[in-house]
Amino acid sequence: MLVDSHCHLDFPQLADRIEQIIGLMRANDVGCALCIGVTLERLARVLQLADTWPMLLATVGVHPEETGVREATVDDLVRLAAHPRVVAIGETGLDYYWHKDAPEWQRERFRTHIRAARVTGKPLVIHTREAAADTLRLMAEEGAGEVGGIMHCFTESWPIAQAALDLGFHISLSGIVTFKNALTVREVALRVPLDRLLVETDSPYLAPVPYRGKTNQPAYVRHVAEDVARLRGLSYQQVADATTANFFNLFPEAHTKVAQ
């Protein structure tokens, strides 16, 4: 079995063919996928998916790129995280690629999510792009290591990965690791301890080879795991077993929820 630790099945590229997507997950032994909340306005659809399909779980958060949306308070996140299918807080973090002025509102939003995670005891799902130093600084200042979580779609250097690992976080690799020119990501894939590694699709984006440039979906996480296995000189089954165990160790309540 495999777990896709990060996908967006509520996005319009995928939302109209959920039954087909679930069927392809089953055909490829992908037994669980974590559906990520990106705004409070769209959370109802994410929760509906997780309520409908036992192999889907959910998170609650406001993505760092989102503007013009309802801002979440700690109380909002804590209340919404009480939903039985929600296992994490996020997607949260910092993105200076789209917000090059490094806005303070984005940093405050990130702090709010970390504080909510500490109140709930639920792990964080963290996005960082061109903001690694500030991301790690805020994680340390706000005590993110108390709950741990996932550095999702990791594209930073090994020293950044090591710093995140030192804070108790897992490193999740997307289809980018299958791109031959992604040398930094492939180095990280070689060096992350096997017991701290996760795989994801970030569907509908970042489809792995051989589907690069097409709409991604959770079934394709198998190609991520296969490529990581080749890089590390392991069998596919070793990587599948390890990343699945890592996911359920990070989210221990998820095993029962998915089995229901």
Side-chain angles (χ1 to χ4, degrees):
M1 172 172 150
L2 268 175
V3 175
D4 179 358
S5 71
H6 195 108
C7 63
H8 299 281
L9 300 188
D10 63 309
F11 282 21
Q13 300 95 317
L14 300 173
D16 292 337
R17 53 189 187 95
I18 292 299
E19 289 191 16
Q20 179 192 32
I21 288 166
I22 295 293
L24 287 168
M25 285 175 63
R26 290 174 173 147
N28 286 274
D29 296 323
V30 180
C32 176
L34 185 57
C35 298
I36 305 298
V38 295
T39 68
L40 299 187
E41 290 86 345
R42 295 173 62 168
L43 181 63
R45 175 57 176 158
V46 175
L47 296 179
Q48 181 187 40
L49 287 167
D51 282 334
T52 303
W53 301 98
M55 61 207 308
L56 303 181
L57 297 167
T59 74
V60 57
V62 182
H63 194 287
E65 292 177 13
E66 294 286 349
T67 58
V69 297
R70 179 183 161 197
E71 206 61 58
T73 66
V74 171
D75 287 345
D76 289 332
L77 294 170
V78 170
R79 174 177 53 83
L80 293 167
H83 186 284
R85 305 296 292 177
V86 171
V87 298
I89 302 294
E91 179 173 357
T92 185
L94 299 174
D95 192 311
Y96 295 168
Y97 179 82
W98 293 111
H99 299 282
K100 298 187 185 303
D101 57 340
E104 183 59 28
W105 64 261
Q106 202 179 84
R107 292 188 284 269
E108 285 306 307
R109 179 184 289 178
F110 188 24
R111 291 183 188 276
T112 295
H113 282 69
I114 298 173
R115 292 167 187 170
R118 291 178 62 194
V119 171
T120 62
K122 294 183 185 292
L124 289 150
V125 176
I126 292 182
H127 166 113
T128 183
R129 189 175 185 189
E130 296 191 5
D134 274 1
T135 299
L136 291 169
R137 176 175 62 82
L138 266 61
M139 289 167 66
E141 289 178 0
E142 294 292 338
E146 292 183 16
V147 292
I150 302 172
M151 304 301 290
H152 124 80
C153 190
F154 195 83
T155 56
E156 302 292 338
S157 65
W158 170 247
I160 300 300
Q162 184 64 70
L165 290 166
D166 290 346
L167 284 170
F169 277 72
H170 289 61
I171 303 297
S172 183
L173 300 176
S174 71
I176 292 173
V177 76
T178 71
F179 303 168
K180 299 305 181 187
N181 61 343
L183 299 181
T184 299
V185 176
R186 290 165 78 83
E187 179 191 5
V188 169
L190 281 168
R191 300 181 70 171
V192 173
L194 191 58
D195 64 353
R196 302 286 289 283
L197 182 64
L198 297 169
V199 288
E200 66 172 84
T201 60
D202 202 13
S203 307
Y205 310 115
L206 302 176
V209 174
Y211 301 102
R212 187 174 182 179
K214 299 181 180 179
T215 301
N216 204 359
Q217 60 177 301
Y220 294 168
V221 76
R222 183 182 185 98
H223 296 281
V224 179
E226 288 173 344
D227 205 70
V228 170
R230 283 192 292 269
L231 282 170
R232 296 179 70 118
L234 300 172
S235 70
Y236 160 75
Q237 197 60 54
Q238 285 175 295
V239 172
D241 289 348
T243 54
T244 298
N246 295 342
F247 181 87
F248 288 116
N249 286 337
L250 181 60
F251 304 109
E253 78 277 24
H255 200 282
T256 302
K257 296 177 188 297
V258 171
Q260 289 176 348

